[in-house]
Amino acid sequence: VWLCMYKLHRQTVFIASLISVVGVLIFFEGAVCEGDTRNQSMRTSPKGLIPHSVAFIRNWARRHQWTPSLTRNCNSFLPRSPLRQVGDPSLFGSRETLGLRGGTDKSKSSATMSTAASENPLLNCPVFPRFDEIKAEHVVPATKQLIADNEKSLATLEGELTAKEYKMDVTELINKLEALGDELGRSWGAVKHMEAVKDSEPLRKAVEEVQPELVKFNLQVSQSEPIYKAFKVVKDSPTYAGLSVAQKRIVDSNLLEAELAGIALEGEKKERFNAIQQELAALSTQFSNNVLDCTKAFSIRLTTKEEVAGLPESALGLAAQNAKSKGDEGATKEDGPWLITLDAPSYLPVMKHAKDRSLREKVYKAYNTRASEGSGSRPDGGKSFDNSQVINQILALKKEKAELLGKRHYADVSTAQKMATLEDAMDLMEKLRASSFAPAEKELADLQAFAKKSAFDAELQPWDVTFYAERQLEENYAFNEEDLRPYFALPRVLDGLFSLAKRLFDVDVVKAEIQVPLWDKEVQFWQINKAGKPVSYFYLDPYARPEEKRGGAWMDECAGRSRVMAVGSDPVRLPAAHMVCNQSPPVGDKPSLMTFQEVETVFHEFGHALQHMLTTQDEGLVAGIRGVEWDAVETPSQFMENWCYDKATMDKVAVHYETGEKMPAELFEKVKAAKNYRAATMMLRQLQFAVTDLTLHSSYDPTGSASVHDLYREVAKKYQVMQPLDYDRFLCGFSHIFAGGYAAGYYSYKWAEVLSADCFGAFEEAGLADDAKVQETGRRFRDTILAKGGGQAPKEVFEEFRGRGPSPEALLRHSGLVPAVV
């Protein structure tokens, strides 16, 4: 169950209004992504991304609930591509003043500015940011300087448009908008990325200080009447019909986003709308920080072997390592002491394996009351961790915002830029519930009977379910998760994943030929080659660092493919990405030995990254994940998870780290058979989250007598077979919808899962054992789903790949909830 919250999306972020800034719709890693543990992407888990320029800022905001909202984050790039050769100092932050497209004309910058830029890594931000030099004290002066520069650039563009009576060639208009704010976007992206992976109190304070000014600037752009009128002229002119599909998408999305940003509001209504955006920005950050701080504040120090009975060796090693980091220098996995935390690699083993029921209950309660009135006060005596009131404030503001925009409710604001309407989403949730509820009731009854057979006579409680489910899985399938870890060492998993990319998409993933500044010694840097030439780059930050790194997993954009931002004779700027996970780190002399869920997470985030990195769309505002409707952006990520159950793929992934032997066929078949163990229960869990989210943002009254927790329990009556406890405060930690990009959009995971399962169905129909047909189908997937980005409606792209519209049959079949087609 915890999986449903582990993966996205992480990161609290940017400003509530950013989503409405000019530019295009975008994803997240989530990538985001946080969702189903394997889902968080874009994050993040979510399940995450960050572009450059005004579009960069707005898109990033959308991913992270800066309503004006997906992902489950990175981001800084000097506008150039392909990357220069090894040894070119500008790649790594040469101190010289560099000419940039967008933002300030550096040739006209003052000597003072040049001196400041040489000392501040956030000014003149290079292709690969100087992550190892970025400090909290750099944030405020750099951001204020860049905002001032961009305000001048915006005023210049608006003056030009007004003088021309808003008649500007559409290509010129789009190009100017893409370039506008490029340096600010890249610089701020680097800041937010560092906040996510190297969090500190000084960095938080710096972000909080300058964030209101960023919100203000982005509102200036999103509510720019000259820009809006210029796009309106294009839309209403005969030339619109002759635009490319991608250009039409850009025009239409900019008009819609301006309307959702309050372009039509005047006077007091516009002032109130803008104030709401500022308040939402601050509240979203507060929500996320409360969750992170509460998680960091909790730990349990165990000293006896009786207390840790049942915990596997890997969990004991991590717990001893945690204890060492807190001062117990002599801690060992054999004799302790052991420190348990609420981070995934520590929390999950306790819930699955700890024999001490009281320990499980204590840890379960702490996790499910995070950032609530039940989580205690801050150690420093500061503000409460409690997010309950923060949630009510967020919901009330979003309700008021929707009313100002003339919408029924905030769900209509959210879905205006998605494939589905509120009614479409609720209809799918109900169809999936109808297929899952009775099987889930049977799963719970079977588990209760199993527990009784195991000498547990009491009624199962939530902290018992995961423990006995793990025992039942071991008995039914004759293996446990710890049996799998030795076969999933991170280096081998990556080798197998990259081999799959070659098989399906005909690309080579290799260690990058250049060295770049990194934010942590464990971060890896890779490049993707096609026909021997680089087409993209990505960072991989795989391990949990509880003291400084947000939880979950996500993919973020560092730079998007772009014709406009190319330099010199280069035809395009190449894309680059971050992939961030929080898996078990190496312990002692052993490599990172992953759980199967962690393997799925890496596959998931790589799917997000592939859509970003293998795009062939040259219009930067809709390249890769940019401009992809939120409820379609999880398609490639969830599609990639299916390959974890493909024998040919696992033969290259699952190799014992000591013996070099492949996972035995018998064990793999057990893993495959266990895929749908308690699938109906997990389906309902995700539906519970989605329907609660949609209801909160459509019919819930935050000023009424019923609390959000009351609503959560009311939804559970229909969507859960085991009801939540009275003290359950899951919503207080539901960062996806209150500090991520999923407000009235969490259903997107299931919506996209229908698409992704149907896509994988094409490979099943071709024959997974027929390598030639698998390759042929893979190239077609690459050239449609991965290549077209946001430049074409996702429904059309899906139909081009599949030859028809999507069907939920494959998802239900893959979940074992309808008979498999023979």
Short mmCIF file of all heavy atoms in Angstrom, two decimals, residues 177-205:
data_model
loop_
_atom_site.label_atom_id
_atom_site.label_comp_id
_atom_site.label_asym_id
_atom_site.label_seq_id
_atom_site.Cartn_x
_atom_site.Cartn_y
_atom_site.Cartn_z
N LEU A 177 8.79 33.96 -27.75
CA LEU A 177 8.26 33.49 -26.47
C LEU A 177 9.10 32.35 -25.90
O LEU A 177 9.31 32.27 -24.69
CB LEU A 177 6.81 33.04 -26.64
CG LEU A 177 5.80 34.17 -26.69
CD1 LEU A 177 4.42 33.62 -27.00
CD2 LEU A 177 5.78 34.94 -25.38
N GLU A 178 9.58 31.49 -26.78
CA GLU A 178 10.41 30.39 -26.28
C GLU A 178 11.70 30.92 -25.68
O GLU A 178 12.20 30.41 -24.66
CB GLU A 178 10.73 29.40 -27.40
CG GLU A 178 11.50 28.19 -26.89
CD GLU A 178 11.79 27.17 -27.96
OE1 GLU A 178 11.28 27.30 -29.09
OE2 GLU A 178 12.55 26.23 -27.67
N ALA A 179 12.26 31.93 -26.32
CA ALA A 179 13.53 32.48 -25.84
C ALA A 179 13.36 33.35 -24.59
O ALA A 179 14.26 33.44 -23.76
CB ALA A 179 14.19 33.30 -26.95
N LEU A 180 12.18 33.96 -24.46
CA LEU A 180 11.95 34.87 -23.34
C LEU A 180 12.15 34.16 -22.00
O LEU A 180 11.53 33.15 -21.72
CB LEU A 180 10.54 35.45 -23.41
CG LEU A 180 10.13 36.38 -22.27
CD1 LEU A 180 10.98 37.65 -22.27
CD2 LEU A 180 8.65 36.72 -22.36
N GLY A 181 12.98 34.66 -21.21
CA GLY A 181 13.16 34.11 -19.87
C GLY A 181 14.00 32.85 -19.81
O GLY A 181 14.03 32.17 -18.79
N ASP A 182 14.71 32.53 -20.88
CA ASP A 182 15.47 31.27 -20.90
C ASP A 182 16.46 31.18 -19.75
O ASP A 182 16.51 30.19 -19.03
CB ASP A 182 16.21 31.14 -22.24
CG ASP A 182 17.05 29.88 -22.30
OD1 ASP A 182 16.46 28.80 -22.48
OD2 ASP A 182 18.28 29.97 -22.12
N GLU A 183 17.25 32.22 -19.55
CA GLU A 183 18.27 32.13 -18.50
C GLU A 183 17.64 32.07 -17.12
O GLU A 183 18.10 31.35 -16.24
CB GLU A 183 19.23 33.31 -18.59
CG GLU A 183 20.40 33.15 -17.62
CD GLU A 183 21.40 34.29 -17.69
OE1 GLU A 183 21.12 35.29 -18.38
OE2 GLU A 183 22.45 34.17 -17.03
N LEU A 184 16.57 32.84 -16.91
CA LEU A 184 15.87 32.78 -15.62
C LEU A 184 15.34 31.38 -15.38
O LEU A 184 15.45 30.83 -14.28
CB LEU A 184 14.72 33.79 -15.61
CG LEU A 184 13.76 33.71 -14.41
CD1 LEU A 184 14.52 33.93 -13.10
CD2 LEU A 184 12.64 34.73 -14.57
N GLY A 185 14.75 30.78 -16.41
CA GLY A 185 14.21 29.44 -16.25
C GLY A 185 15.27 28.42 -15.91
O GLY A 185 15.09 27.59 -15.02
N ARG A 186 16.41 28.51 -16.59
CA ARG A 186 17.47 27.55 -16.33
C ARG A 186 18.08 27.75 -14.95
O ARG A 186 18.37 26.80 -14.23
CB ARG A 186 18.55 27.66 -17.42
CG ARG A 186 18.08 27.17 -18.78
CD ARG A 186 19.16 27.30 -19.85
NE ARG A 186 19.39 28.68 -20.23
CZ ARG A 186 20.44 29.41 -19.84
NH1 ARG A 186 21.35 28.86 -19.06
NH2 ARG A 186 20.59 30.65 -20.23
N SER A 187 18.25 28.99 -14.59
CA SER A 187 18.83 29.29 -13.29
C SER A 187 17.92 28.86 -12.14
O SER A 187 18.33 28.21 -11.19
CB SER A 187 19.12 30.79 -13.19
OG SER A 187 19.65 31.13 -11.93
N TRP A 188 16.63 29.22 -12.26
CA TRP A 188 15.68 28.85 -11.20
C TRP A 188 15.50 27.33 -11.16
O TRP A 188 15.35 26.75 -10.08
CB TRP A 188 14.35 29.52 -11.44
CG TRP A 188 13.34 29.22 -10.38
CD1 TRP A 188 12.23 28.44 -10.49
CD2 TRP A 188 13.36 29.67 -9.02
NE1 TRP A 188 11.56 28.37 -9.29
CE2 TRP A 188 12.23 29.12 -8.37
CE3 TRP A 188 14.24 30.49 -8.30
CZ2 TRP A 188 11.95 29.37 -7.03
CZ3 TRP A 188 13.95 30.73 -6.96
CH2 TRP A 188 12.82 30.18 -6.34
N GLY A 189 15.56 26.69 -12.30
CA GLY A 189 15.47 25.24 -12.32
C GLY A 189 16.59 24.59 -11.55
O GLY A 189 16.39 23.61 -10.82
N ALA A 190 17.80 25.14 -11.68
CA ALA A 190 18.93 24.61 -10.92
C ALA A 190 18.72 24.78 -9.43
O ALA A 190 19.04 23.90 -8.63
CB ALA A 190 20.22 25.30 -11.36
N VAL A 191 18.14 25.92 -9.05
CA VAL A 191 17.86 26.17 -7.63
C VAL A 191 16.87 25.14 -7.09
O VAL A 191 17.08 24.54 -6.04
CB VAL A 191 17.30 27.60 -7.43
CG1 VAL A 191 16.80 27.78 -6.00
CG2 VAL A 191 18.36 28.63 -7.77
N LYS A 192 15.76 24.95 -7.81
CA LYS A 192 14.74 24.03 -7.33
C LYS A 192 15.24 22.60 -7.32
O LYS A 192 14.87 21.79 -6.46
CB LYS A 192 13.49 24.16 -8.18
CG LYS A 192 12.78 25.49 -8.05
CD LYS A 192 12.44 25.84 -6.61
CE LYS A 192 11.45 24.87 -6.00
NZ LYS A 192 11.08 25.25 -4.61
N HIS A 193 16.08 22.28 -8.28
CA HIS A 193 16.66 20.93 -8.28
C HIS A 193 17.53 20.73 -7.04
O HIS A 193 17.44 19.69 -6.37
CB HIS A 193 17.50 20.72 -9.54
CG HIS A 193 18.18 19.40 -9.57
ND1 HIS A 193 17.50 18.21 -9.73
CD2 HIS A 193 19.48 19.05 -9.43
CE1 HIS A 193 18.34 17.20 -9.69
NE2 HIS A 193 19.56 17.69 -9.50
N MET A 194 18.35 21.71 -6.73
CA MET A 194 19.21 21.59 -5.55
C MET A 194 18.38 21.53 -4.27
O MET A 194 18.72 20.82 -3.32
CB MET A 194 20.19 22.76 -5.50
CG MET A 194 21.24 22.73 -6.60
SD MET A 194 22.31 21.27 -6.52
CE MET A 194 23.29 21.68 -5.07
N GLU A 195 17.27 22.25 -4.24
CA GLU A 195 16.40 22.19 -3.07
C GLU A 195 15.85 20.78 -2.90
O GLU A 195 15.64 20.32 -1.78
CB GLU A 195 15.26 23.20 -3.20
CG GLU A 195 14.42 23.33 -1.93
CD GLU A 195 13.22 24.22 -2.12
OE1 GLU A 195 12.73 24.33 -3.25
OE2 GLU A 195 12.76 24.79 -1.11
N ALA A 196 15.62 20.08 -4.00
CA ALA A 196 15.06 18.73 -3.93
C ALA A 196 16.10 17.69 -3.53
O ALA A 196 15.77 16.72 -2.84
CB ALA A 196 14.46 18.35 -5.28
N VAL A 197 17.35 17.87 -3.94
CA VAL A 197 18.35 16.83 -3.70
C VAL A 197 19.40 17.22 -2.67
O VAL A 197 20.16 16.36 -2.20
CB VAL A 197 19.07 16.44 -5.02
CG1 VAL A 197 18.08 15.85 -6.00
CG2 VAL A 197 19.79 17.63 -5.65
N LYS A 198 19.46 18.52 -2.31
CA LYS A 198 20.42 19.00 -1.31
C LYS A 198 19.73 20.03 -0.41
O LYS A 198 20.21 21.15 -0.23
CB LYS A 198 21.63 19.63 -1.99
CG LYS A 198 22.59 18.65 -2.65
CD LYS A 198 23.43 17.91 -1.60
CE LYS A 198 24.46 17.01 -2.24
NZ LYS A 198 25.25 16.27 -1.21
N ASP A 199 18.63 19.64 0.16
CA ASP A 199 17.81 20.56 0.93
C ASP A 199 18.56 21.08 2.15
O ASP A 199 19.32 20.36 2.80
CB ASP A 199 16.54 19.84 1.39
CG ASP A 199 15.62 20.75 2.17
OD1 ASP A 199 15.23 21.79 1.63
OD2 ASP A 199 15.29 20.41 3.33
N SER A 200 18.36 22.36 2.45
CA SER A 200 18.93 22.97 3.66
C SER A 200 18.05 24.14 4.06
O SER A 200 17.33 24.71 3.23
CB SER A 200 20.36 23.46 3.40
OG SER A 200 20.37 24.57 2.53
N GLU A 201 18.13 24.53 5.31
CA GLU A 201 17.31 25.64 5.80
C GLU A 201 17.69 26.96 5.11
O GLU A 201 16.80 27.73 4.72
CB GLU A 201 17.44 25.77 7.32
CG GLU A 201 16.46 26.74 7.95
CD GLU A 201 15.00 26.36 7.70
OE1 GLU A 201 14.71 25.15 7.57
OE2 GLU A 201 14.15 27.27 7.63
N PRO A 202 18.97 27.27 4.93
CA PRO A 202 19.30 28.52 4.22
C PRO A 202 18.77 28.54 2.78
O PRO A 202 18.31 29.59 2.31
CB PRO A 202 20.83 28.53 4.25
CG PRO A 202 21.20 27.73 5.45
CD PRO A 202 20.18 26.63 5.50
N LEU A 203 18.82 27.40 2.11
CA LEU A 203 18.32 27.35 0.74
C LEU A 203 16.81 27.55 0.72
O LEU A 203 16.27 28.27 -0.13
CB LEU A 203 18.69 26.02 0.09
CG LEU A 203 18.31 25.83 -1.39
CD1 LEU A 203 18.91 26.94 -2.24
CD2 LEU A 203 18.78 24.47 -1.89
N ARG A 204 16.11 26.95 1.65
CA ARG A 204 14.65 27.15 1.74
C ARG A 204 14.32 28.62 1.94
O ARG A 204 13.42 29.16 1.30
CB ARG A 204 14.08 26.35 2.91
CG ARG A 204 13.92 24.89 2.69
CD ARG A 204 13.14 24.33 3.85
NE ARG A 204 13.14 22.87 3.84
CZ ARG A 204 12.50 22.14 4.72
NH1 ARG A 204 11.80 22.73 5.67
NH2 ARG A 204 12.53 20.83 4.66
N LYS A 205 15.03 29.26 2.85
CA LYS A 205 14.73 30.65 3.14
C LYS A 205 14.99 31.53 1.93
O LYS A 205 14.24 32.49 1.67
CB LYS A 205 15.57 31.11 4.34
CG LYS A 205 15.11 30.50 5.66
CD LYS A 205 15.95 31.00 6.84
CE LYS A 205 15.43 30.40 8.16
NZ LYS A 205 16.26 30.84 9.32
#
